[in-house]
Amino acid sequence: MKLLVTGGAGFIGSNFIRHILQTYPDYVVVNLDKPTYAGNLESLSDVENHPNYRVIFGDITNPADVETAFQSRVDVVVHFAAESHVDKSILNPGVFVHTNVVGTQCLLEYARRYGVQKFVQISTDEVYGTLGQTGNFTEDTPLQPNSPYSASKASADLLVRAYHETFGLPVNITRCSNNYGPYQFPEKLIPLTIIRAMNGQSIPVYGDGLQIRDWLHVDDHCRAIDLVIHHGVAGEIYNIGCNNEWTNIDVVKQILHELNQPDDLIHFVKDRPGHDRRYAMDASKLKRDLGWTPSIGFEKGLADTVQWYLHHDAWWKRVLTGEYRSYLAVQYGERLDGQL
Ligand code: NAD
Ligand code: TYD
């Protein structure tokens, strides 16, 4: 099987490519990535010379780049490429619409023309909006996105659905909860907290810190996508999550504890506008129909992730470039008293 993976230089995409090359020695992976600030081909340095792996530098919103990728006659598309950070979507929504909506439509169009066997759209629980104290998102929960990021992902999901209904393109949409694990860009809560805590810097916690996320280890996520590629029924949506709800403040405290750092590094800052209060996934369809079970418990997965960042400082130090520092200044400058 030949897979076109978009956004393979990103966090989940790079872990997924490694999973596929290790699990299926005869599969070929073509990685289409721009890359943006969030893409880092160093995350794939261990497989860059693998005979079944190749990278194409290109933009998913550029039809010529996308056609080049499809000319290599791929069987399955796994579409990760996106602008993926909510806070950045509040600062600059336009690029989210362009990449996540226009880029997805461009890929769908070539997937249709080239007659691929399956198009897997990697989406998010955030398309469902927010939950109160109880209940879980199911695949039938109405889409009520609250941020420009989640609205752009919901729009992309609807285009994926439309290409299935209108043109018969065999598609699946997967919607996962928050991922954590190695190679995550340190704009997201867990790697940002680990790196700042390692350096003894203050940790910005939005609002009261009691928002809840349902954390999923990236390896469990990759195994779920693998099952959807091979056994997902065309046109179906699959939620991915492992009933692992944590408040942000407890996640941050757990990381500080792992690193023997004091809780007084925690710094409550102004809340994110439109901040979703709680996410929780019902993944019973994936478990029942495709036999998925998560295998990594959060305490162990988080401890291993902390260790990974401790032992890969060369990877994240190179990521902390001028652009990253200017982002921190815009996002947190006034709120962290200049402690960037
Ligand atoms: P990421 O930001 O780490 O990586 C995104 C990748 O897409 C990067 O390699 C980037 O270079 C590439 N990219 C961006 N714009 C591109 C363009 N125009 N053309 C080609 N490549 C482009 O993201 P991630 O965390 O790995 O997320 C992957 C997917 O999973 C996204 O679609 C995201 O919406 C979804 N998702 C992520 C999470 C999470 O917790 N990280 C949760 C739910 C859903
Ligand atoms: P994030 O990792 O950005 O993922 P998402 O917004 O997609 O859920 O944030 C996870 C949670 O952590 C979210 O409720 C916002 C919160 N958060 C902070 O409190 N401080 C921070 O510096 C960041 C980046 C996030």
Side-chain angles (χ1 to χ4, degrees), residues 85-87 126 178 187-189 192 204-206 211 213 215 248 272 275-276 279 332:
H85 190 207
V86 174
D87 291 318
E126 304 191 23
N178 286 62
E187 64 191 351
K188 307 278 168 55
L189 178 69
L192 182 115
V205 172
Y206 298 162
Q211 303 82 6
R213 298 294 182 263
W215 293 97
N248 293 338
R272 172 190 279 174
H275 198 173
D276 288 336
Y279 302 142
Y332 301 106

PDB file of all heavy atoms in Angstrom, residues 85-87 126 178 187-189 192 204-206 211 213 215 248 272 275-276 279 332, ligand 2:
ATOM      1  N   HIS A  85      -3.170  25.362  16.078  1.00  0.00           N
ATOM      2  CA  HIS A  85      -3.159  25.915  17.436  1.00  0.00           C
ATOM      3  C   HIS A  85      -4.231  26.994  17.637  1.00  0.00           C
ATOM      4  O   HIS A  85      -4.223  28.027  16.955  1.00  0.00           O
ATOM      5  CB  HIS A  85      -1.769  26.482  17.745  1.00  0.00           C
ATOM      6  CG  HIS A  85      -1.602  26.850  19.185  1.00  0.00           C
ATOM      7  ND1 HIS A  85      -0.736  27.810  19.621  1.00  0.00           N
ATOM      8  CD2 HIS A  85      -2.227  26.396  20.296  1.00  0.00           C
ATOM      9  CE1 HIS A  85      -0.818  27.927  20.935  1.00  0.00           C
ATOM     10  NE2 HIS A  85      -1.711  27.078  21.366  1.00  0.00           N
ATOM     11  N   VAL A  86      -5.115  26.743  18.587  1.00  0.00           N
ATOM     12  CA  VAL A  86      -6.248  27.642  18.858  1.00  0.00           C
ATOM     13  C   VAL A  86      -5.783  29.081  19.109  1.00  0.00           C
ATOM     14  O   VAL A  86      -6.333  30.037  18.552  1.00  0.00           O
ATOM     15  CB  VAL A  86      -7.059  27.130  20.075  1.00  0.00           C
ATOM     16  CG1 VAL A  86      -8.140  28.131  20.455  1.00  0.00           C
ATOM     17  CG2 VAL A  86      -7.662  25.766  19.790  1.00  0.00           C
ATOM     18  N   ASP A  87      -4.757  29.259  19.948  1.00  0.00           N
ATOM     19  CA  ASP A  87      -4.329  30.626  20.279  1.00  0.00           C
ATOM     20  C   ASP A  87      -3.872  31.373  19.025  1.00  0.00           C
ATOM     21  O   ASP A  87      -4.150  32.561  18.861  1.00  0.00           O
ATOM     22  CB  ASP A  87      -3.196  30.603  21.312  1.00  0.00           C
ATOM     23  CG  ASP A  87      -3.693  30.133  22.673  1.00  0.00           C
ATOM     24  OD1 ASP A  87      -4.789  30.559  23.074  1.00  0.00           O
ATOM     25  OD2 ASP A  87      -3.002  29.341  23.323  1.00  0.00           O
ATOM     26  N   GLU A 126     -12.817  19.304  18.923  1.00  0.00           N
ATOM     27  CA  GLU A 126     -13.181  20.714  19.106  1.00  0.00           C
ATOM     28  C   GLU A 126     -14.281  21.163  18.151  1.00  0.00           C
ATOM     29  O   GLU A 126     -14.924  22.189  18.380  1.00  0.00           O
ATOM     30  CB  GLU A 126     -11.934  21.602  18.982  1.00  0.00           C
ATOM     31  CG  GLU A 126     -10.868  21.171  19.968  1.00  0.00           C
ATOM     32  CD  GLU A 126      -9.704  22.131  20.118  1.00  0.00           C
ATOM     33  OE1 GLU A 126      -9.857  23.322  19.813  1.00  0.00           O
ATOM     34  OE2 GLU A 126      -8.634  21.668  20.556  1.00  0.00           O
ATOM     35  N   ASN A 178      -7.348  15.794  22.743  1.00  0.00           N
ATOM     36  CA  ASN A 178      -5.989  16.373  22.818  1.00  0.00           C
ATOM     37  C   ASN A 178      -4.931  15.280  22.885  1.00  0.00           C
ATOM     38  O   ASN A 178      -5.004  14.402  23.743  1.00  0.00           O
ATOM     39  CB  ASN A 178      -5.847  17.239  24.082  1.00  0.00           C
ATOM     40  CG  ASN A 178      -6.587  18.550  23.962  1.00  0.00           C
ATOM     41  OD1 ASN A 178      -7.809  18.565  23.816  1.00  0.00           O
ATOM     42  ND2 ASN A 178      -5.857  19.647  24.025  1.00  0.00           N
ATOM     43  N   GLU A 187       4.175  25.044  21.743  1.00  0.00           N
ATOM     44  CA  GLU A 187       3.139  26.076  21.900  1.00  0.00           C
ATOM     45  C   GLU A 187       1.951  25.487  22.644  1.00  0.00           C
ATOM     46  O   GLU A 187       1.153  26.208  23.212  1.00  0.00           O
ATOM     47  CB  GLU A 187       2.678  26.578  20.524  1.00  0.00           C
ATOM     48  CG  GLU A 187       2.015  25.491  19.709  1.00  0.00           C
ATOM     49  CD  GLU A 187       1.761  25.821  18.242  1.00  0.00           C
ATOM     50  OE1 GLU A 187       1.941  26.970  17.832  1.00  0.00           O
ATOM     51  OE2 GLU A 187       1.378  24.888  17.506  1.00  0.00           O
ATOM     52  N   LYS A 188       1.834  24.143  22.649  1.00  0.00           N
ATOM     53  CA  LYS A 188       0.695  23.463  23.277  1.00  0.00           C
ATOM     54  C   LYS A 188       0.992  23.250  24.761  1.00  0.00           C
ATOM     55  O   LYS A 188       2.161  23.202  25.173  1.00  0.00           O
ATOM     56  CB  LYS A 188       0.420  22.127  22.585  1.00  0.00           C
ATOM     57  CG  LYS A 188       0.258  22.222  21.071  1.00  0.00           C
ATOM     58  CD  LYS A 188      -1.136  22.659  20.639  1.00  0.00           C
ATOM     59  CE  LYS A 188      -1.232  23.040  19.175  1.00  0.00           C
ATOM     60  NZ  LYS A 188      -0.812  22.103  18.197  1.00  0.00           N
ATOM     61  N   LEU A 189      -0.084  23.063  25.556  1.00  0.00           N
ATOM     62  CA  LEU A 189       0.050  23.102  27.012  1.00  0.00           C
ATOM     63  C   LEU A 189       1.149  22.183  27.564  1.00  0.00           C
ATOM     64  O   LEU A 189       1.996  22.629  28.353  1.00  0.00           O
ATOM     65  CB  LEU A 189      -1.290  22.737  27.674  1.00  0.00           C
ATOM     66  CG  LEU A 189      -1.227  22.706  29.208  1.00  0.00           C
ATOM     67  CD1 LEU A 189      -1.043  24.116  29.766  1.00  0.00           C
ATOM     68  CD2 LEU A 189      -2.480  22.064  29.797  1.00  0.00           C
ATOM     69  N   LEU A 192       4.868  22.966  26.379  1.00  0.00           N
ATOM     70  CA  LEU A 192       5.205  24.309  26.866  1.00  0.00           C
ATOM     71  C   LEU A 192       5.499  24.273  28.368  1.00  0.00           C
ATOM     72  O   LEU A 192       6.489  24.829  28.851  1.00  0.00           O
ATOM     73  CB  LEU A 192       4.038  25.265  26.566  1.00  0.00           C
ATOM     74  CG  LEU A 192       4.255  26.712  26.979  1.00  0.00           C
ATOM     75  CD1 LEU A 192       4.303  27.627  25.749  1.00  0.00           C
ATOM     76  CD2 LEU A 192       3.144  27.215  27.887  1.00  0.00           C
ATOM     77  N   PRO A 204       2.196  29.670  32.380  1.00  0.00           N
ATOM     78  CA  PRO A 204       0.944  30.417  32.207  1.00  0.00           C
ATOM     79  C   PRO A 204      -0.269  29.489  32.183  1.00  0.00           C
ATOM     80  O   PRO A 204      -0.366  28.600  31.336  1.00  0.00           O
ATOM     81  CB  PRO A 204       1.116  31.091  30.837  1.00  0.00           C
ATOM     82  CG  PRO A 204       2.095  30.228  30.089  1.00  0.00           C
ATOM     83  CD  PRO A 204       2.950  29.537  31.116  1.00  0.00           C
ATOM     84  N   VAL A 205      -1.184  29.665  33.132  1.00  0.00           N
ATOM     85  CA  VAL A 205      -2.425  28.878  33.158  1.00  0.00           C
ATOM     86  C   VAL A 205      -3.576  29.846  32.910  1.00  0.00           C
ATOM     87  O   VAL A 205      -3.727  30.847  33.620  1.00  0.00           O
ATOM     88  CB  VAL A 205      -2.588  28.157  34.518  1.00  0.00           C
ATOM     89  CG1 VAL A 205      -3.958  27.493  34.621  1.00  0.00           C
ATOM     90  CG2 VAL A 205      -1.480  27.122  34.689  1.00  0.00           C
ATOM     91  N   TYR A 206      -4.387  29.539  31.904  1.00  0.00           N
ATOM     92  CA  TYR A 206      -5.459  30.457  31.507  1.00  0.00           C
ATOM     93  C   TYR A 206      -6.634  30.385  32.490  1.00  0.00           C
ATOM     94  O   TYR A 206      -7.090  29.278  32.848  1.00  0.00           O
ATOM     95  CB  TYR A 206      -5.998  30.110  30.120  1.00  0.00           C
ATOM     96  CG  TYR A 206      -5.003  30.203  28.983  1.00  0.00           C
ATOM     97  CD1 TYR A 206      -5.263  29.561  27.774  1.00  0.00           C
ATOM     98  CD2 TYR A 206      -3.828  30.934  29.091  1.00  0.00           C
ATOM     99  CE1 TYR A 206      -4.378  29.640  26.709  1.00  0.00           C
ATOM    100  CE2 TYR A 206      -2.935  31.018  28.035  1.00  0.00           C
ATOM    101  CZ  TYR A 206      -3.208  30.372  26.847  1.00  0.00           C
ATOM    102  OH  TYR A 206      -2.343  30.442  25.798  1.00  0.00           O
ATOM    103  N   GLN A 211     -10.488  24.165  33.296  1.00  0.00           N
ATOM    104  CA  GLN A 211     -10.965  23.600  32.027  1.00  0.00           C
ATOM    105  C   GLN A 211     -10.484  22.148  31.938  1.00  0.00           C
ATOM    106  O   GLN A 211      -9.415  21.803  32.442  1.00  0.00           O
ATOM    107  CB  GLN A 211     -10.405  24.388  30.828  1.00  0.00           C
ATOM    108  CG  GLN A 211     -10.731  25.869  30.840  1.00  0.00           C
ATOM    109  CD  GLN A 211      -9.775  26.659  31.715  1.00  0.00           C
ATOM    110  OE1 GLN A 211      -8.796  26.145  32.240  1.00  0.00           O
ATOM    111  NE2 GLN A 211     -10.080  27.934  31.864  1.00  0.00           N
ATOM    112  N   ARG A 213      -9.579  18.694  29.617  1.00  0.00           N
ATOM    113  CA  ARG A 213      -9.230  18.073  28.337  1.00  0.00           C
ATOM    114  C   ARG A 213      -9.112  16.564  28.568  1.00  0.00           C
ATOM    115  O   ARG A 213      -8.800  16.107  29.671  1.00  0.00           O
ATOM    116  CB  ARG A 213      -7.905  18.638  27.785  1.00  0.00           C
ATOM    117  CG  ARG A 213      -7.965  20.152  27.479  1.00  0.00           C
ATOM    118  CD  ARG A 213      -8.915  20.448  26.347  1.00  0.00           C
ATOM    119  NE  ARG A 213      -9.017  21.850  25.945  1.00  0.00           N
ATOM    120  CZ  ARG A 213      -9.975  22.678  26.366  1.00  0.00           C
ATOM    121  NH1 ARG A 213     -10.873  22.277  27.254  1.00  0.00           N
ATOM    122  NH2 ARG A 213     -10.039  23.913  25.884  1.00  0.00           N
ATOM    123  N   TRP A 215      -7.089  13.593  27.597  1.00  0.00           N
ATOM    124  CA  TRP A 215      -5.771  13.392  26.967  1.00  0.00           C
ATOM    125  C   TRP A 215      -5.591  12.000  26.379  1.00  0.00           C
ATOM    126  O   TRP A 215      -5.904  10.991  27.004  1.00  0.00           O
ATOM    127  CB  TRP A 215      -4.665  13.698  27.983  1.00  0.00           C
ATOM    128  CG  TRP A 215      -4.642  15.156  28.331  1.00  0.00           C
ATOM    129  CD1 TRP A 215      -5.224  15.753  29.423  1.00  0.00           C
ATOM    130  CD2 TRP A 215      -4.070  16.216  27.559  1.00  0.00           C
ATOM    131  NE1 TRP A 215      -5.033  17.121  29.377  1.00  0.00           N
ATOM    132  CE2 TRP A 215      -4.332  17.435  28.249  1.00  0.00           C
ATOM    133  CE3 TRP A 215      -3.361  16.274  26.357  1.00  0.00           C
ATOM    134  CZ2 TRP A 215      -3.903  18.677  27.768  1.00  0.00           C
ATOM    135  CZ3 TRP A 215      -2.931  17.507  25.887  1.00  0.00           C
ATOM    136  CH2 TRP A 215      -3.205  18.687  26.582  1.00  0.00           C
ATOM    137  N   ASN A 248      -6.712  21.365  33.529  1.00  0.00           N
ATOM    138  CA  ASN A 248      -5.396  21.885  33.127  1.00  0.00           C
ATOM    139  C   ASN A 248      -4.479  22.052  34.332  1.00  0.00           C
ATOM    140  O   ASN A 248      -3.288  21.737  34.274  1.00  0.00           O
ATOM    141  CB  ASN A 248      -5.561  23.236  32.418  1.00  0.00           C
ATOM    142  CG  ASN A 248      -6.266  23.081  31.079  1.00  0.00           C
ATOM    143  OD1 ASN A 248      -6.269  21.997  30.493  1.00  0.00           O
ATOM    144  ND2 ASN A 248      -6.862  24.160  30.607  1.00  0.00           N
ATOM    145  N   ARG A 272      -8.294  32.673  27.751  1.00  0.00           N
ATOM    146  CA  ARG A 272      -8.406  32.672  26.283  1.00  0.00           C
ATOM    147  C   ARG A 272      -9.835  33.074  25.915  1.00  0.00           C
ATOM    148  O   ARG A 272     -10.781  32.530  26.499  1.00  0.00           O
ATOM    149  CB  ARG A 272      -8.097  31.249  25.815  1.00  0.00           C
ATOM    150  CG  ARG A 272      -8.337  30.976  24.371  1.00  0.00           C
ATOM    151  CD  ARG A 272      -8.235  29.479  24.083  1.00  0.00           C
ATOM    152  NE  ARG A 272      -6.882  29.008  23.929  1.00  0.00           N
ATOM    153  CZ  ARG A 272      -6.562  27.710  23.787  1.00  0.00           C
ATOM    154  NH1 ARG A 272      -7.496  26.780  23.795  1.00  0.00           N
ATOM    155  NH2 ARG A 272      -5.325  27.348  23.636  1.00  0.00           N
ATOM    156  N   HIS A 275     -12.970  30.358  25.339  1.00  0.00           N
ATOM    157  CA  HIS A 275     -12.293  29.148  25.818  1.00  0.00           C
ATOM    158  C   HIS A 275     -13.294  28.024  26.095  1.00  0.00           C
ATOM    159  O   HIS A 275     -14.158  28.160  26.971  1.00  0.00           O
ATOM    160  CB  HIS A 275     -11.536  29.507  27.100  1.00  0.00           C
ATOM    161  CG  HIS A 275     -10.489  28.529  27.480  1.00  0.00           C
ATOM    162  ND1 HIS A 275      -9.616  28.757  28.513  1.00  0.00           N
ATOM    163  CD2 HIS A 275     -10.156  27.322  26.983  1.00  0.00           C
ATOM    164  CE1 HIS A 275      -8.791  27.739  28.632  1.00  0.00           C
ATOM    165  NE2 HIS A 275      -9.103  26.849  27.704  1.00  0.00           N
ATOM    166  N   ASP A 276     -13.167  26.905  25.401  1.00  0.00           N
ATOM    167  CA  ASP A 276     -14.043  25.756  25.649  1.00  0.00           C
ATOM    168  C   ASP A 276     -13.757  25.186  27.038  1.00  0.00           C
ATOM    169  O   ASP A 276     -12.604  24.967  27.415  1.00  0.00           O
ATOM    170  CB  ASP A 276     -13.805  24.665  24.595  1.00  0.00           C
ATOM    171  CG  ASP A 276     -14.363  25.051  23.232  1.00  0.00           C
ATOM    172  OD1 ASP A 276     -15.286  25.884  23.171  1.00  0.00           O
ATOM    173  OD2 ASP A 276     -13.858  24.516  22.221  1.00  0.00           O
ATOM    174  N   TYR A 279     -13.896  19.083  27.232  1.00  0.00           N
ATOM    175  CA  TYR A 279     -14.038  18.113  26.136  1.00  0.00           C
ATOM    176  C   TYR A 279     -14.027  16.716  26.757  1.00  0.00           C
ATOM    177  O   TYR A 279     -13.236  16.446  27.668  1.00  0.00           O
ATOM    178  CB  TYR A 279     -12.864  18.167  25.150  1.00  0.00           C
ATOM    179  CG  TYR A 279     -12.589  19.487  24.475  1.00  0.00           C
ATOM    180  CD1 TYR A 279     -11.275  19.896  24.252  1.00  0.00           C
ATOM    181  CD2 TYR A 279     -13.616  20.307  24.018  1.00  0.00           C
ATOM    182  CE1 TYR A 279     -10.986  21.095  23.608  1.00  0.00           C
ATOM    183  CE2 TYR A 279     -13.335  21.506  23.374  1.00  0.00           C
ATOM    184  CZ  TYR A 279     -12.018  21.900  23.178  1.00  0.00           C
ATOM    185  OH  TYR A 279     -11.733  23.078  22.549  1.00  0.00           O
ATOM    186  N   TYR A 332       2.032  36.044  25.427  1.00  0.00           N
ATOM    187  CA  TYR A 332       2.114  36.050  26.890  1.00  0.00           C
ATOM    188  C   TYR A 332       2.803  37.281  27.480  1.00  0.00           C
ATOM    189  O   TYR A 332       2.822  37.433  28.695  1.00  0.00           O
ATOM    190  CB  TYR A 332       2.900  34.827  27.401  1.00  0.00           C
ATOM    191  CG  TYR A 332       2.327  33.504  27.006  1.00  0.00           C
ATOM    192  CD1 TYR A 332       2.943  32.737  26.023  1.00  0.00           C
ATOM    193  CD2 TYR A 332       1.190  33.001  27.623  1.00  0.00           C
ATOM    194  CE1 TYR A 332       2.426  31.500  25.662  1.00  0.00           C
ATOM    195  CE2 TYR A 332       0.670  31.769  27.266  1.00  0.00           C
ATOM    196  CZ  TYR A 332       1.298  31.021  26.283  1.00  0.00           C
ATOM    197  OH  TYR A 332       0.793  29.802  25.930  1.00  0.00           O
TER     198      TYR A 332
HETATM  199  P1  TYD B   2      -3.742  23.563  24.004  1.00  0.00           P
HETATM  200  O1  TYD B   2      -2.587  22.641  24.266  1.00  0.00           O
HETATM  201  O2  TYD B   2      -3.460  24.863  23.321  1.00  0.00           O
HETATM  202  O3  TYD B   2      -4.833  22.706  23.224  1.00  0.00           O
HETATM  203  P2  TYD B   2      -6.392  23.057  22.891  1.00  0.00           P
HETATM  204  O4  TYD B   2      -6.604  24.505  23.021  1.00  0.00           O
HETATM  205  O5  TYD B   2      -6.500  22.603  21.463  1.00  0.00           O
HETATM  206  O6  TYD B   2      -7.195  22.227  23.843  1.00  0.00           O
HETATM  207  O7  TYD B   2      -4.432  23.903  25.392  1.00  0.00           O
HETATM  208  C1  TYD B   2      -4.896  22.866  26.243  1.00  0.00           C
HETATM  209  C2  TYD B   2      -5.581  23.540  27.409  1.00  0.00           C
HETATM  210  O8  TYD B   2      -4.591  24.261  28.172  1.00  0.00           O
HETATM  211  C3  TYD B   2      -6.601  24.585  26.989  1.00  0.00           C
HETATM  212  O9  TYD B   2      -7.704  24.551  27.907  1.00  0.00           O
HETATM  213  C4  TYD B   2      -5.884  25.902  27.107  1.00  0.00           C
HETATM  214  C5  TYD B   2      -4.915  25.659  28.250  1.00  0.00           C
HETATM  215  N1  TYD B   2      -3.635  26.407  28.169  1.00  0.00           N
HETATM  216  C6  TYD B   2      -3.202  27.151  29.259  1.00  0.00           C
HETATM  217  O10 TYD B   2      -3.886  27.216  30.311  1.00  0.00           O
HETATM  218  N2  TYD B   2      -2.022  27.812  29.156  1.00  0.00           N
HETATM  219  C7  TYD B   2      -1.252  27.776  28.019  1.00  0.00           C
HETATM  220  O11 TYD B   2      -0.180  28.434  27.977  1.00  0.00           O
HETATM  221  C8  TYD B   2      -1.702  26.994  26.918  1.00  0.00           C
HETATM  222  C9  TYD B   2      -0.890  26.914  25.650  1.00  0.00           C
HETATM  223  C10 TYD B   2      -2.909  26.317  27.036  1.00  0.00           C
END
